[in-house]
Amino acid sequence: MYMKFILLALLLATGTTLVAQENAVTKSLSVFKNGQSFVVKEIKAQVADSGFRLNNLPVALFGTYWFAGTTNPVSRVSSRVEQVNEIQERKANSFLELLHANKGKNITIVTADNNTYKGSVEDFDLPEEINSRLQLQQMQLTNVYRGQYQFDRIYAPANPVLLLKMNGKWIGIEPATIKTITFEDKPSRTTTARIAVQKPIVTVHFAKSGQQSFTMMYLQNGLSWTPVYQLQLVSETEATLNLQAEVNNNVEDIKNTDVDFVMGVPNFSQAITLATLLNFSSTGNVENANIYSNAIQMRADYARDRAAESIVMPEQASSPDNTAVENEDLYFYTLKNISLSKGERAQYPVFNKPVKIHHFYKTVLPASVMSTYQVNGEEGTASEEMEAANHAGRGATPNKVNHFVEIYNNTDNPFTSGAVLILQKNTQKPIAQDVLKFTAKGSSTPIFITTAPDILVREKEALVSVKKEAKTYNGYKYTLATVKGTITVINSKSRLADIQVQKTISGAITSASTKYSQSLNLEYKNDINQGRQLDFELAVDAGTKKSFTYTYEMYIRE
């Protein structure tokens, strides 16, 4: 304990100011939609035998903080916490700050009791400089005696004292008593405070000393891009798709750097804590020892294998007229010479591409539920009770019809998910805003526009026949019912409308008078009536109506 106290005391007593700044140039910057970015910097420096000390450290994440020498190999990289002075400059707007900004200059001071002092400012510290050092001492002693003593504060905040050299003597003056200050020369209005802080210092060691060039790479949080689209409708079948990157920079200055905006699903699953060189918490990265235990990893792999069938990976992150560069499963859009200060936001055009589109209208009808009907009629006909139950509540209220525009990706790259604003190109009038979902090249995706009030869809279903004791299943007898549905579409628009009608039934479809496709609900594949979704398609001319029919069979338990 005594040796620890001595070391801490030495650390407090030997705080130094790191004035040399590394000459770092960003060579590569890849920005992801999830708020992370990957940085590669090149640093050139004169390196002594003790290595090169890095003062401006990134908030690098675990497993991604790497160094490599370009002229000589890096032999090792080390880090430790040191007390350093952070420089903070500001305009002097008080007596305290004026005195601090004009150290070494001759002044004349008149105090509140009308005493006059003339001399040079020999020594003067700002309150925040004094208190920063006291706070570090408080923190260090708290760490030394952790668990042994309970206390709130060792040192109280201190007020500064002005040390004035006058006629070969040094006089201490309370700054609060100063009434006026006269300067013999024009005073400086810029004060530079040196705030004592503790921070990690990373030292890069090389096999040889001298002029060195090396790269530093890391993944960090705090810099992200959001894709925002604008779809300008040119005609019924053509449009222009614009993509811009909205950038949010909360981490570091970007100066004349080529930036890659990345789309895809980045996997940096282990980069959830600080890099080991920067993590000086009480536990550091000790928790990673369990994460990388062979036994635990074997169990984790087994768990992933068991769960693989149920995992659905989300699409993560899609200049002008840029083409993305494909790198494995990620796509990189590169914009040249970007400058963006920390704390700034910006928008950058990424591409402008013509695309094919298709307008269509879709309605989803209520599912048919026939199992609640009572089969009381004679074989081969439907009873009046059946007909009444079947028609109750159906056909009276039109079903909601939604307008969509299908975008076809006829470009060389996929579209990433993002908000899309839809406009008429010739008038720039707004139409809608929705989400353009991830769209692979060569495929298409629908975008919701709005509800169409001038297209109505009505439906009716009728039970046309029954056959009792048609099947025995799990010890129960079932009646086979044949159902006929009629769907009517009324198009009051001034143009032809392509209509999609979605209907869910329980049973097997036997016929339809229009084009359709079907998909089975495999969740209940062992049910006697397998659920299936029917998707009907038809075109309805302007100002007309069109009807189509379908029939299906289902079993109802007697």
Side-chain angles (χ1 to χ4, degrees):
M1 178 66 70
Y2 177 76
M3 285 301 297
K4 181 183 286 187
F5 179 79
I6 293 296
L7 289 172
L8 291 172
L10 287 173
L11 182 61
L12 288 168
T14 58
T16 59
T17 301
L18 299 183
V19 294
Q21 299 296 316
E22 51 268 19
N23 181 22
V25 177
T26 302
K27 305 297 291 184
S28 173
L29 176 58
S30 301
V31 184
F32 299 91
K33 288 171 60 178
N34 65 352
Q36 294 183 319
S37 57
F38 191 76
V39 186
V40 179
K41 291 186 176 181
E42 184 180 54
I43 300 174
K44 296 181 179 180
Q46 186 68 30
V47 178
D49 292 338
S50 58
F52 182 73
R53 289 159 56 88
L54 291 169
N55 180 30
N56 296 326
L57 300 178
V59 187
L61 298 177
F62 174 74
T64 70
Y65 199 24
W66 286 80
F67 296 85
T70 55
T71 53
N72 286 301
V74 173
S75 59
R76 68 184 177 96
V77 182
S78 61
S79 66
R80 68 176 185 177
V81 173
E82 298 184 13
Q83 179 177 322
V84 298
N85 290 331
E86 294 285 357
I87 306 301
Q88 296 181 359
E89 288 189 354
R90 64 177 182 271
K91 186 176 181 180
N93 287 315
S94 67
F95 276 173
L96 295 180
E97 294 170 349
L98 276 174
L99 290 170
H100 187 269
N102 291 277
K103 289 182 181 180
K105 291 188 177 181
N106 294 321
I107 61 173
T108 300
I109 293 175
V110 178
T111 60
D113 55 5
N114 292 321
N115 289 324
T116 301
Y117 302 91
K118 185 175 182 180
S120 62
V121 180
E122 196 70 14
D123 186 39
F124 185 76
D125 289 337
L126 289 171
E128 60 261 40
E129 294 179 320
I130 300 171
N131 289 325
S132 67
R133 293 192 289 270
L134 293 179
Q135 287 169 5
L136 286 183
Q137 291 175 342
Q138 165 85 26
M139 180 181 67
Q140 292 297 335
L141 291 177
T142 300
N143 289 335
V144 169
Y145 294 108
R146 182 185 292 116
Q148 301 182 34
Y149 301 100
Q150 296 294 327
F151 42 76
D152 294 327
R153 181 179 291 277
I154 300 174
Y155 301 103
N159 293 319
V161 174
L162 168 64
L163 190 61
L164 193 69
K165 185 177 182 181
M166 185 175 65
N167 298 326
K169 297 181 180 180
W170 284 265
I171 300 175
I173 300 174
E174 173 63 48
T177 66
I178 297 175
K179 185 166 64 174
T180 63
I181 304 176
T182 303
F183 295 89
E184 295 185 9
D185 300 313
K186 182 179 180 180
S188 171
R189 290 296 302 274
T190 301
T191 185
T192 303
R194 290 170 172 80
I195 307 301
V197 298
Q198 280 194 331
K199 61 186 293 186
I201 301 297
V202 172
T203 304
V204 185
H205 303 268
F206 294 86
K208 298 179 180 180
S209 60
Q211 186 69 27
Q212 303 289 351
S213 175
F214 62 97
T215 59
M216 173 178 68
M217 64 178 62
Y218 53 89
L219 183 75
Q220 64 183 357
N221 294 320
L223 177 61
S224 65
W225 80 287
T226 302
V228 178
Y229 294 94
Q230 183 188 84
L231 183 68
Q232 295 189 350
L233 304 182
V234 179
S235 68
E236 288 294 305
T237 59
E238 296 178 330
T240 300
L241 185 64
N242 302 313
L243 170 63
Q244 71 179 10
E246 297 192 344
V247 183
N248 189 332
N249 181 13
N250 291 321
V251 63
E252 65 178 63
D253 292 341
I254 303 171
K255 297 180 180 179
N256 298 321
T257 302
D258 294 350
V259 177
D260 294 320
F261 295 106
V262 187
M263 55 173 291
V265 185
N267 177 23
F268 300 106
S269 61
Q270 306 305 297
I272 54 178
T273 60
L274 275 177
T276 301
L277 287 172
L278 307 176
N279 192 341
F280 285 88
S281 63
S282 58
T283 59
N285 280 330
V286 175
E287 60 270 21
N288 290 333
N290 286 331
I291 295 176
Y292 303 114
S293 160
N294 288 334
I296 290 177
Q297 282 300 307
M298 289 175 65
R299 292 198 297 269
D301 287 342
Y302 174 74
R304 281 197 293 270
D305 290 342
R306 290 287 302 272
E309 292 184 0
S310 63
I311 293 176
V312 178
M313 292 296 295
E315 192 277 329
Q316 186 60 354
S318 202
S319 296
D321 201 22
N322 258 352
T323 297
V325 175
E326 184 176 357
N327 186 10
E328 296 298 337
D329 299 313
L330 301 177
Y331 292 83
F332 294 73
Y333 279 106
T334 303
L335 300 187
K336 302 288 187 180
N337 300 322
I338 285 183
S339 294
L340 189 66
S341 299
K342 178 181 177 179
E344 287 188 337
R345 310 290 185 263
Q347 295 178 337
Y348 297 97
V350 178
F351 69 60
N352 177 298
K353 295 182 181 293
V355 292
K356 297 294 184 181
I357 61 171
H358 171 237
H359 290 268
F360 69 91
Y361 300 84
K362 182 176 182 178
T363 185
V364 179
L365 301 180
S368 296
V369 182
M370 300 294 292
S371 59
T372 59
Y373 295 168
Q374 300 296 319
V375 183
N376 296 322
E378 298 180 358
E379 184 173 340
T381 63
S383 69
E384 292 182 0
E385 183 179 351
M386 287 176 166
E387 291 285 353
N390 186 45
H391 286 293
R394 289 191 177 274
T397 303
N399 295 279
K400 183 172 68 173
V401 179
N402 291 328
H403 179 192
F404 293 85
V405 60
E406 187 99 4
I407 296 182
Y408 296 90
N409 185 356
N410 46 280
T411 71
D412 295 327
N413 302 120
F415 298 150
T416 187
S417 299
V420 56
L421 176 66
I422 303 172
L423 306 170
Q424 283 288 356
K425 187 170 185 177
N426 56 345
T427 63
Q428 296 296 294
K429 292 186 181 300
I431 296 176
Q433 185 190 44
D434 201 56
V435 175
L436 190 157
K437 297 180 181 179
F438 176 82
T439 311
K441 56 184 178 181
S443 62
S444 64
T445 188
I447 297 176
F448 173 63
I449 302 297
T450 187
T451 299
D454 43 7
I455 296 180
L456 304 180
V457 177
R458 289 190 169 94
E459 64 162 334
K460 289 195 306 182
E461 278 192 350
L463 196 55
V464 295
S465 67
V466 294
K467 182 179 180 182
K468 289 189 174 183
E469 299 183 3
K471 189 171 185 177
T472 300
Y473 184 74
N474 288 340
Y476 296 99
K477 293 181 179 180
Y478 285 82
T479 293
L480 179 64
T482 301
V483 182
K484 179 179 180 181
T486 302
I487 296 176
T488 301
V489 179
I490 303 171
N491 179 16
S492 300
K493 286 184 171 293
S494 59
R495 64 185 183 190
L496 180 143
D498 288 331
I499 309 295
Q500 296 181 7
V501 178
Q502 181 177 306
K503 179 74 177 179
T504 299
I505 63 170
S506 296
I509 186 169
T510 57
S511 65
S513 62
T514 190
K515 179 182 176 182
Y516 74 95
S517 61
Q518 61 177 313
S519 55
L520 300 178
N521 184 351
L522 299 180
E523 184 177 0
Y524 304 103
K525 60 183 178 181
N526 294 323
D527 286 1
I528 189 171
N529 293 306
Q530 191 164 3
R532 67 192 67 218
Q533 177 181 301
L534 306 177
D535 293 289
F536 301 98
E537 297 181 14
L538 68 158
V540 182
D541 290 328
T544 64
K545 68 178 181 179
K546 181 181 288 188
S547 298
F548 66 91
T549 61
Y550 61 92
T551 58
Y552 65 95
E553 294 178 340
M554 70 176 301
Y555 290 97
I556 302 175
R557 201 175 83 178
E558 297 180 5

